[in-house]
Amino acid sequence: MNVSEGRKGKRKTSEVTDPAEVYQGDEPIVRGEVEIDHLEDPDGDLVTWEMCSGKRKVISHSFESAHGWETRYHAMNTISGIAKFIDLKTFSDPVNGYLLDDNCVFGVEVFVVKNTFKEGCLSMIHDPAKCDHTWKVTNFSTLVNDKYVSESFGCYRWYILLYPNGNSDGKGNSISLFLGLSLLSIAPGTKLLAKVIMRVKNQMNGKHIEYKDCNLYGPRDSSGLGRTRFISLAKLKDPEQGFLVDDTLIIEAEVTLLGMVLAKS
């Protein structure tokens, strides 16, 4: 393995003569992972990395985590990667240049980002409190605004944010749903650790579409966390699917409060 160190980080390349064949479902793929076998910082640093393969052609992926285009390595998380890096058919075709003479080259670039997060104290709730809300959106076909907000619910004033014609990459093809938290519900610097379930109810067969997440919510997240492509407009408006009945859409949200993070002064 060759190692070169530059101003931005370290680059490593490794030649593999017998790549393993991995399957995702019925489809053979090449899987890429990055493992850190030694950590000098017990708290872990944020790192950004790219993996690439090939001699004449290069394919690269950046790993996107909850923190953006970064992931945190620490004692409990020493491996991160991409399950479906490149399909095996494309990888094995010599015309594409990734596998030549039964040899391939994998490389990785790691950029260490110093920790800039403020320290906080997480207090877990032994008996988690749960609140839920059902929002019936009537006359859906007549909605003209970009977004609509449900009534607030729960002691921390959660709310559902609906974009009936989509938002961001869902605009024009899906509805977008987010769960928001009132700016006035908690003190600045405080975050809530919550388990969230949002669903669009199927009013015919009970096969609902759900979004599940466990995340930290704070005042800066007032715009909501959720999905830009919750359900396609074509599927939603198909009368045989059962999501829109009598021009009424039913949205449910369940929030279980697991803990609270208080910023240290």
Side-chain angles (χ1 to χ4, degrees):
M1 176 177 287
N2 298 320
V3 181
S4 60
E5 185 171 354
R7 195 161 54 92
K8 293 183 178 180
K10 294 182 178 180
R11 172 179 294 180
K12 295 185 179 182
T13 61
S14 178
E15 186 167 337
V16 180
T17 57
D18 186 20
E21 184 173 308
V22 182
Y23 284 82
Q24 180 168 306
D26 296 328
E27 183 179 359
I29 59 171
V30 173
R31 182 175 63 196
E33 293 179 339
V34 174
E35 179 175 4
I36 304 298
D37 58 9
H38 176 69
L39 291 172
E40 296 180 357
D41 182 0
D43 296 326
D45 278 327
L46 288 176
V47 300
T48 61
W49 58 267
E50 290 188 351
M51 293 191 68
C52 57
S53 66
K55 283 190 172 182
R56 294 180 179 173
K57 290 186 178 181
V58 173
I59 183 170
S60 66
H61 287 281
S62 293
F63 181 77
E64 182 176 9
S65 69
H67 303 288
W69 293 99
E70 300 169 333
T71 187
R72 182 181 294 277
Y73 287 92
H74 49 78
M76 299 297 292
N77 180 39
T78 61
I79 300 177
S80 289
I82 302 163
K84 189 176 181 180
F85 190 73
I86 180 176
D87 68 271
L88 194 59
K89 182 178 180 180
T90 301
F91 174 75
S92 302
D93 191 341
V95 176
N96 293 323
Y98 301 118
L99 188 64
L100 298 176
D101 299 326
D102 209 27
N103 290 278
C104 63
V105 176
F106 291 91
V108 60
E109 289 184 86
V110 178
F111 303 91
V112 178
V113 181
K114 291 300 180 182
N115 195 336
T116 58
F117 293 106
K118 293 182 178 179
E119 187 177 1
C121 179
L122 172 62
S123 299
M124 299 300 293
I125 298 176
H126 296 293
D127 187 15
K130 178 181 176 181
C131 60
D132 53 56
H133 181 67
T134 299
W135 185 18
K136 288 188 176 182
V137 183
T138 58
N139 302 314
F140 182 86
S141 61
T142 65
L143 301 182
V144 294
N145 295 339
D146 287 339
K147 63 181 179 180
Y148 294 83
V149 181
S150 74
E151 295 180 355
S152 61
F153 61 97
C155 58
Y156 287 102
R157 298 171 62 184
W158 302 91
Y159 61 86
I160 304 169
L161 189 62
L162 165 67
Y163 291 80
N165 196 43
N167 183 42
S168 187
D169 61 346
K171 193 171 184 64
N173 57 69
S174 307
I175 65 167
S176 302
L177 282 179
F178 302 92
L179 181 73
L181 180 64
S182 172
L183 286 169
L184 303 177
S185 62
I186 57 177
T190 302
K191 285 183 173 291
L192 303 179
L193 177 62
K195 178 182 177 181
V196 173
I197 301 176
M198 285 197 299
R199 68 174 63 92
V200 170
K201 292 199 68 175
N202 189 304
Q203 303 172 57
M204 293 176 59
N205 56 29
K207 295 181 179 179
H208 316 309
I209 292 182
E210 291 188 343
Y211 165 80
K212 296 182 180 180
D213 190 22
C214 185
N215 218 322
L216 287 171
Y217 290 78
R220 70 179 182 87
D221 304 315
S222 59
S223 59
L225 298 175
R227 279 183 178 172
T228 55
R229 295 183 178 183
F230 201 93
I231 178 175
S232 69
L233 289 171
K235 187 173 184 178
L236 176 70
K237 295 178 180 181
D238 185 347
E240 296 184 358
Q241 295 293 331
F243 295 104
L244 196 62
V245 176
D246 296 330
D247 208 23
T248 298
L249 176 69
I250 300 178
I251 303 170
E252 293 182 337
E254 298 177 8
V255 181
T256 303
L257 186 61
L258 304 176
M260 183 178 296
V261 176
L262 302 176
K264 288 188 176 181
S265 57

